[in-house]
Amino acid sequence: MATIKDVAKKAGVSISVVSKTYNNYVDVSEETRQRIFAVAKELDYTPNIVAKNLSSKKQMTLGLISSGVLNDNEKDNNAFDIFKGVYREISETRFELSINLIDSQKQKQQSYVQYCRERNIGGAILQGIRTDDQYYKELLNTNIPCVVLDIMNETENGLIGSVSIDNALASKEMALYLLERNHRNLAVVSGTKETYVNKERMKGLEEALHAHGMKLDDVDFLDADFSEEAAYELSKMYLQKTQPTAFFCFSDLMAFGVIKAIKEAGLRIPEDISVTGFDDLIFSSYTQPPLTTIKQDFVEIGKVAARLLQDIKENNLERQHIWVKHQLMARESVKTLPSV
């Protein structure tokens, strides 16, 4: 394998000039730069990014750590859209991007700090992390700049930023959308209780119910752990006992499971039962009927997170949370009932 010394020798320059070329120093002429690149290509030389970062004054690699993505439903493109947003933003800068796909078990095998130090990562974006995960507990006590997605940073660590939509407000808007269409017999299909987004969506639901003189006790809950299959099985059993006027699902994936159960029960959407989701996955506008849901712009969330991480790293910003806009997508899966 060719080394930087081999490239320097064949190009007729010093090792420091080759290093300056790959670090984009302005005092290397374009002619010399192109000669070095041509020799590097001929020798099949690739610079060691980690070594380059270690030798530089600043850490030039940012990390995207995504938990649970390998186990995600194939219909769920959220993590990939976030990756696209992060990559598009960082590719316009001088930073490199390191991606680590993990799960809860891997978090126990290699610590967050260890992962960042081994790769000389100067800051990281964490996606899919729960507040009870090992990585989240670690990052609260580290000095590595970090941005978490779908978690509100309420700690004193000023190096941690956070990005999400306003989940409570979005959930409240969707609940009000149903209540204003005279749905009172609601079944709520909720996600994983430990997650920040589930708690926020529950909070928004409660506010909407309160505005209409109702309480959480007035609706039925199916805890489906953000799983399409679990939502299908739970709603299938639920429909054997009772029939709500609407299912309010805390994710589109769970809504897909509910839609399947409703149709298998010989019922129609929205004539017999209305259904709403949350996320606006790519398949949501193609269900029959198209699903009413909350749209999250996951590409934009990724971009905003990447910009915030760079701001925290380079400007030592104080702790902050950035809200990304959401949109209620009113489609054909909700029926307006007669006034009670």
Side-chain angles (χ1 to χ4, degrees):
M1 182 180 292
T3 67
I4 189 171
K5 186 176 180 180
D6 298 325
V7 174
K9 183 178 180 180
K10 186 156 188 176
V13 297
S14 66
I15 292 175
S16 65
V17 171
V18 177
S19 178
K20 285 183 176 182
T21 298
Y22 279 99
N23 282 285
N24 295 317
Y25 277 64
V26 295
D27 59 344
V28 179
S29 71
E30 186 60 26
E31 179 184 353
T32 301
R33 188 185 305 275
Q34 293 304 320
R35 185 167 76 253
I36 289 171
F37 287 152
V39 169
K41 184 176 181 180
E42 179 185 342
L43 297 179
D44 196 24
Y45 167 74
T46 302
N48 186 326
I49 297 298
V50 173
K52 183 177 74 172
N53 282 341
L54 287 170
S55 65
S56 65
K57 292 182 180 179
K58 281 193 173 183
Q59 295 162 308
M60 299 308 296
T61 299
L62 302 179
L64 172 60
I65 301 173
S66 186
S67 180
V69 66
L70 296 178
N71 300 319
D72 281 351
N73 188 297
E74 64 275 6
K75 299 187 185 77
D76 188 349
N77 58 311
N78 297 354
F80 181 66
D81 282 347
I82 287 171
F83 163 72
K84 283 197 296 185
V86 171
Y87 178 77
R88 287 175 183 173
E89 187 67 27
I90 290 180
S91 66
E92 299 297 321
T93 71
R94 63 190 185 284
F95 288 101
E96 302 285 344
L97 179 64
S98 172
I99 299 173
N100 187 22
L101 307 181
I102 60 171
D103 54 28
S104 296
Q105 192 59 38
K106 272 192 174 182
Q107 292 182 41
K108 297 175 183 177
Q109 296 169 359
Q110 182 185 45
S111 74
Y112 168 72
V113 174
Q114 181 184 6
Y115 170 77
C116 291
R117 285 179 178 169
E118 285 181 356
R119 291 159 181 79
N120 203 37
I121 287 174
I125 297 167
L126 277 77
Q127 183 266 332
I129 299 294
R130 300 180 353 181
T131 53
D132 59 345
D133 275 342
Q134 185 66 32
Y135 271 28
Y136 184 74
K137 295 173 183 176
E138 283 185 59
L139 68 86
L140 298 181
N141 300 308
T142 184
N143 60 356
I144 300 171
C146 177
V147 171
V148 289
L149 305 183
D150 283 332
I151 297 176
M152 170 74 85
N153 172 33
E154 297 177 344
T155 72
E156 293 303 315
N157 189 340
L159 292 176
I160 303 176
S162 48
V163 178
S164 75
I165 67 165
D166 189 334
N167 282 278
L169 177 60
S171 178
K172 181 178 180 179
E173 289 174 357
M174 182 59 81
L176 288 174
Y177 183 83
L178 288 170
L179 293 167
E180 289 164 359
R181 282 153 185 77
N182 304 315
H183 290 277
R184 296 295 184 273
N185 184 8
L186 297 177
V188 177
V189 185
S190 59
T192 309
K193 290 183 178 180
E194 297 82 5
T195 59
Y196 171 80
V197 295
N198 196 77
K199 294 174 182 177
E200 288 296 294
R201 291 171 195 178
M202 195 69 72
K203 184 189 300 182
L205 167 65
E206 186 173 21
E207 290 177 3
L209 290 171
H210 179 73
H212 281 259
M214 298 174 64
K215 305 185 297 294
L216 289 176
D217 291 342
D218 296 327
V219 301
D220 293 330
F221 286 92
L222 308 178
D223 297 324
D225 202 33
F226 290 118
S227 163
E228 178 180 2
E229 186 61 29
Y232 164 70
E233 295 293 346
L234 289 170
S235 56
K236 182 179 179 180
M237 291 187 290
Y238 180 76
L239 288 169
Q240 292 171 0
K241 299 179 293 184
T242 187
Q243 181 176 320
T245 63
F247 280 96
F248 176 18
C249 304
F250 281 9
S251 77
D252 285 0
L253 278 180
M254 295 191 296
F256 297 160
V258 169
I259 289 171
K260 180 181 178 183
I262 291 172
K263 291 186 175 181
E264 286 186 1
L267 299 168
R268 300 165 301 164
I269 304 170
E271 292 84 357
D272 300 314
I273 302 178
S274 295
V275 181
T276 67
F278 209 109
D279 288 335
D280 197 27
L281 300 181
I282 192 170
F283 292 99
S284 300
S285 60
Y286 295 102
T287 57
Q288 292 299 321
L291 182 65
T292 294
T293 187
I294 294 291
K295 179 180 179 61
Q296 297 197 64
D297 189 339
F298 291 103
V299 174
E300 182 64 18
I301 288 172
K303 288 181 177 180
V304 170
R307 287 197 293 268
L308 177 57
L309 179 60
Q310 292 174 72
D311 284 342
I312 292 172
K313 176 173 169 53
E314 299 194 318
N315 303 317
N316 295 316
L317 292 183
E318 291 298 317
R319 179 182 76 246
Q320 65 172 284
H321 182 90
I322 297 180
W323 304 109
V324 175
K325 290 183 180 180
H326 64 271
Q327 182 181 0
L328 195 157
M329 307 298 291
R331 298 193 178 111
E332 300 166 29
S333 64
V334 175
K335 175 184 178 181
T336 300
L337 300 179
S339 298
V340 179

